[in-house]
Amino acid sequence: MRSSLTLVGILWAFLSLVTAMASSTSYFLPYWLFGSQLGKPVSFSTFRRCNYPVLGKGRSLIMVEECGRYASFSAIPSLAWQMCTVVTGAGCVLLLLVALAAVLGCCMEELISRMMGRCMGAAQFVGGLLISSGCALYPLGWNSPEIMQTCGNISNQFQLGTCRLGWAYYCAGGGAATAMLICTWLSCFAVRNPKPVMLVESIMRNTNSYAVELDHCLKL
């Protein structure tokens, strides 16, 4: 089975798939930020959290130890996190689409042209830029009341207080940087040059079609 891609292109497809999966998995896992509340560990992403307080019997707060997403988009603690959710999600979608096309290009001949490969690299740059923007927006939400309760009531924008960043945040940022810097560069060398024979055949087909049309016009 002949591939559309060179050896560099196969490396590009593999790396594209790895970065897309890493960024997308990190996006969905609630391990971007770690803190504690009522003596229980608490963790957040942009639209999910693990462990949250509810009113129990006697109107005292108890911690429910489970993970879930916020009930609605407006329930996300801050505008910055809402924006982060949108732009990071859009970036992950772009990276996943490019990775899927690149993997298919490993198995199908003539699926990806040189121009298409470079356009896919540009899409990866945009996807990585969106995810990076989401990571940059994330600290702007640390001053929301919900986050402050988890971070010792001393957190602020770009100040974590008693909280710490989680591995999923770094994984998302690393995937975005890899897509922007490495995958975009590799995409320029990923696709095979068209065969001379194929170019000649294409020219001959076009020439024959023009000759037939000209002959038809002359007969009229």
Side-chain angles (χ1 to χ4, degrees):
M1 184 180 297
R2 190 170 176 81
S3 170
S4 302
L5 306 179
T6 61
L7 288 177
V8 173
I10 293 172
L11 173 62
W12 167 65
F14 173 75
L15 196 58
S16 297
L17 183 62
V18 170
T19 55
M21 292 298 294
S23 297
S24 300
T25 301
S26 301
Y27 174 65
F28 281 102
L29 291 179
Y31 304 125
W32 284 41
L33 184 68
F34 288 100
S36 64
Q37 191 172 359
L38 300 179
K40 300 290 184 180
V42 178
S43 59
F44 298 89
S45 65
T46 61
F47 64 98
R48 301 185 71 203
R49 73 172 283 171
C50 286
N51 303 343
Y52 53 91
V54 296
L55 284 175
K57 294 180 180 179
R59 301 190 63 80
S60 60
L61 287 176
I62 60 172
M63 292 297 291
V64 176
E65 298 185 46
E66 65 179 19
C67 297
R69 63 178 179 83
Y70 289 100
S72 64
F73 184 75
S74 60
I76 295 174
S78 68
L79 176 62
W81 281 22
Q82 293 172 358
M83 295 170 60
C84 180
T85 299
V86 173
V87 298
T88 305
C92 289
V93 169
L94 265 180
L95 293 189
L96 285 171
L97 289 175
V98 172
L100 176 61
V103 170
L104 289 176
C106 293
C107 309
M108 300 173 66
E109 189 175 5
E110 300 180 35
L111 178 66
I112 302 175
S113 65
R114 288 178 68 84
M115 180 59 68
M116 183 179 176
R118 290 173 181 176
C119 290
M120 290 166 67
Q124 286 181 307
F125 184 86
V126 173
L129 185 62
L130 287 171
I131 296 172
S132 299
S133 300
C135 291
L137 286 169
Y138 193 65
L140 295 176
W142 294 347
N143 63 344
S144 67
E146 184 173 339
I147 307 305
M148 292 181 69
Q149 291 169 8
T150 306
C151 300
N153 289 312
I154 54 174
S155 65
N156 205 337
Q157 292 181 347
F158 298 98
Q159 295 179 11
L160 275 172
T162 58
C163 292
R164 61 184 176 85
L165 287 174
W167 61 266
Y169 179 84
Y170 293 111
C171 190
T178 303
M180 289 176 63
L181 302 177
I182 300 179
C183 291
T184 300
W185 178 68
L186 289 177
S187 68
C188 298
F189 313 99
V191 183
R192 296 179 184 276
N193 288 320
K195 296 179 182 178
V197 174
M198 293 171 60
L199 287 175
V200 171
E201 289 177 352
S202 176
I203 293 170
M204 290 299 295
R205 282 197 300 268
N206 291 335
T207 303
N208 290 337
S209 65
Y210 294 148
V212 170
E213 289 178 6
L214 179 61
D215 183 60
H216 180 70
C217 291
L218 290 174
K219 287 180 180 179
L220 292 177

